[in-house]
Amino acid sequence: MPSSLLAVDGKPNQLSLPPVRKAIVLLVDGLGASVLAARAGHARSLAPLLTPASIIGAKFPTTTAAALATLTTGELPGIHGLVGYTVLDAANDRVVNQLSGWDSRLDPATWQRVPTLFEKAKDAGLPSFAVGAERYRSSGFTKAILRGAEYRSGITIADRFDEARRALDGIDSGLVYVYVPELDQTAHAAGWQSTLWTAALEELDGAVRRFTEQLRRGEGMLLTSDHGVLDVPESSHVLFDTNAGLVDGIRHVAGEPRALQLHFEPDASESHRATVLQRWREAEGGRSWVVSRAEAVESGWFGSVVDPEVIPRIGDLLVAARKNIAYYDSRAAAQHGRSMVGQHGSWSPEETTIPLLRFGDFA
C-alpha cells in the first residue's frame, strides 16, 4: 500500500513500482503461496505469475486483524496495536475479538493507534476507496483500519471488481483497495483441500482475469494476501487445559488456536510465571515455539519496535504451533471454533508465504 501511494505520486518506492495515475491493491484473504501453487491448474491466470520473485513473507501473527492493519497503515503490530485475532483489553479485564468484538468500550480511532494510509492520502488530496462486503461497512474493524477511504460494497467477487472499476473511472488519480474474504471463509469451513475452496479459487481467478483485461494505461494492480492457510484435522486438536499445570494462574486465553497468547493473573509472581513457561516448553516445545512476552518482543515477533501502550495487549506467554496442530481450551463456553478446518496464525511456511502479483502498468 505505501509503494502504491508513492507510485501514484510518481515517487520512488520500496517495490520499484513505476509511476501510475491509479493504483489498485487486491487483498485475497487466506491465499497462501503454497495453496495457490498446489491448485495451479484451477488458477490459470494467477498461478503462472507465481515465481520465487513474486513470493513475500507475511508477518506474525499470521491473522487477518493484525495483517490488514499492517497493510493499511504501513506499520507492524507493535506500533498499530492490533496484535492478534483476540487480544487482552486490560482496562476492561476482558479478551476482545478484533474482527467482530468492538463495542462502546473500545474506540477504533484510538485502539488502532496510527493514521491509515487512506487518511494520509486524503490529507494529500488524493481520493481513495475501500471495496468490500456491505456487512463490513460500519464495523469497528473497518473504522479502525479503513478510516479515510470511501467505502463501497459488492455482494460477489465480480460485483466488487465492478465497483472498483466504477471508482477508477470516476477519478483522475487515486487508490482503490479491494477485499476478497471468500477463500478464507471457505477454508475455515471446509478446508483449502475441499472442492468448495477450489471453486472459490476458480471464481477469483476468472474475476481477476476479466478485471485486469480492462485495466487502462496508467493503472496498475497488486494482488497479495494477509496470510496462508493449512488444514488441521480434529484429531490434531490439543486440549491444553487438560494439563492443569499449563493453565495454573492463567487468567485470560487470547490469540487463536495456532498462536495462543496467555495472560497470567496480575498478582502472579515471577517465579510462578517462569515455572508455567517451563511446563509449556516441556509439554509442547517439541511441536510449538513457546516464548515469554519479553522474548517475543526482543526477537521482533511484533516488529522491531513495540510501543509501551501495546505491550500489555501481548500475551505473557505465547505458544505458536510449529506442527500441524491447533490448541483449544475445553473449558470455554463457546466451542464453535473447533469446527474450523483451515487455520493460520503461526510461523509455518504455509502460513507465512504469500503472493505479490503485478498487473497492468505494475506488471
Side-chain angles (χ1 to χ4, degrees):
M1 193 85 67
S3 290
S4 295
L5 278 175
L6 288 170
V8 171
D9 205 21
K11 295 179 179 179
N13 53 82
Q14 188 173 355
L15 295 180
S16 300
L17 301 176
V20 293
R21 290 183 296 107
K22 306 172 188 179
I24 307 99
V25 176
L26 169 62
L27 191 290
V28 183
D29 200 323
L31 184 63
S34 63
V35 294
L36 178 56
R39 293 293 182 266
H42 297 273
R44 297 184 180 181
S45 298
L46 301 181
L49 303 178
L50 191 65
T51 67
S54 65
I55 295 175
I56 60 175
K59 300 298 186 181
F60 182 87
T62 47
T63 197
T64 298
L68 292 194
T70 292
L71 177 79
T72 63
T73 65
E75 301 286 355
L76 291 174
I79 297 298
H80 63 61
L82 275 64
V83 297
Y85 171 59
T86 65
V87 300
L88 177 65
D89 170 16
N92 294 293
D93 192 29
R94 61 176 183 163
V95 171
V96 178
N97 185 310
Q98 298 284 266
L99 295 180
S100 61
W102 301 81
D103 59 20
S104 60
R105 292 183 288 171
L106 203 65
D107 184 359
T110 56
W111 186 261
Q112 195 287 93
R113 304 175 55 260
V114 297
T116 69
L117 292 164
F118 304 114
E119 290 177 300
K120 293 180 178 179
K122 188 175 184 178
D123 290 342
L126 189 71
S128 63
F129 301 84
V131 185
E134 178 61 29
R135 65 184 179 276
Y136 301 142
R137 178 186 294 272
S138 300
S139 74
F141 185 58
T142 292
K143 294 174 182 177
I145 71 163
L146 300 182
R147 55 183 185 248
E150 179 182 327
Y151 196 90
R152 297 190 177 184
S153 65
I155 297 173
T156 67
I157 297 173
D159 290 341
R160 272 165 257 146
F161 277 121
D162 289 343
E163 197 58 52
R165 185 67 260 169
R166 282 190 284 271
L168 291 167
D169 290 343
I171 58 176
D172 293 324
S173 65
L175 174 69
V176 177
Y177 164 68
V178 182
Y179 177 60
V180 174
E182 281 85 351
L183 275 75
D184 185 67
Q185 293 168 346
T186 303
H188 284 315
W192 76 264
Q193 299 177 75
S194 67
T195 57
L196 290 174
W197 191 90
T198 300
L201 177 63
E202 291 174 345
E203 180 184 359
L204 169 74
D205 191 74
V208 170
R209 175 181 52 78
R210 291 187 292 273
F211 180 75
T212 54
E213 286 175 347
Q214 299 175 17
L215 288 175
R216 324 282 202 243
R217 185 177 179 181
E219 297 177 348
M221 185 178 92
L222 298 176
L223 180 155
T224 192
S225 187
D226 47 354
H227 54 75
V229 65
L230 47 79
D231 288 353
V232 180
E234 187 175 356
S235 59
S236 294
H237 291 181
V238 179
L239 304 180
F240 63 87
D241 62 291
T242 59
N243 182 338
L246 301 183
V247 294
D248 184 14
I250 299 296
R251 183 175 183 83
H252 293 295
V253 177
E256 59 192 294
R258 286 188 54 79
L260 294 178
Q261 297 193 39
L262 307 178
H263 294 265
F264 284 104
E265 294 284 356
D267 60 356
S269 67
E270 289 302 318
S271 62
H272 179 73
R273 293 166 187 251
T275 297
V276 175
L277 175 63
Q278 185 58 31
R279 288 172 185 164
W280 269 98
R281 285 178 169 155
E282 291 173 355
E284 297 297 323
R287 52 186 179 180
S288 293
W289 293 279
V290 180
V291 299
S292 67
R293 174 197 288 160
E295 290 168 333
V297 170
E298 183 180 357
S299 299
W301 281 31
F302 297 92
S304 59
V305 177
V306 178
D307 190 274
E309 183 182 329
V310 176
I311 286 178
R313 304 180 188 180
I314 299 170
D316 295 306
L317 192 161
L318 293 90
V319 184
R322 185 166 63 244
K323 302 292 186 180
N324 195 44
I325 58 173
Y327 291 98
Y328 289 94
D329 184 352
S330 63
R331 302 168 302 170
Q335 293 289 323
H336 58 270
R338 292 190 61 189
S339 64
M340 286 197 311
V341 181
Q343 304 220 23
H344 50 80
S346 189
W347 286 103
S348 75
E350 292 87 352
E351 294 158 294
T352 56
T353 54
I354 55 176
L356 178 64
L357 310 182
R358 306 176 186 221
F359 302 86
D361 281 11
F362 287 163

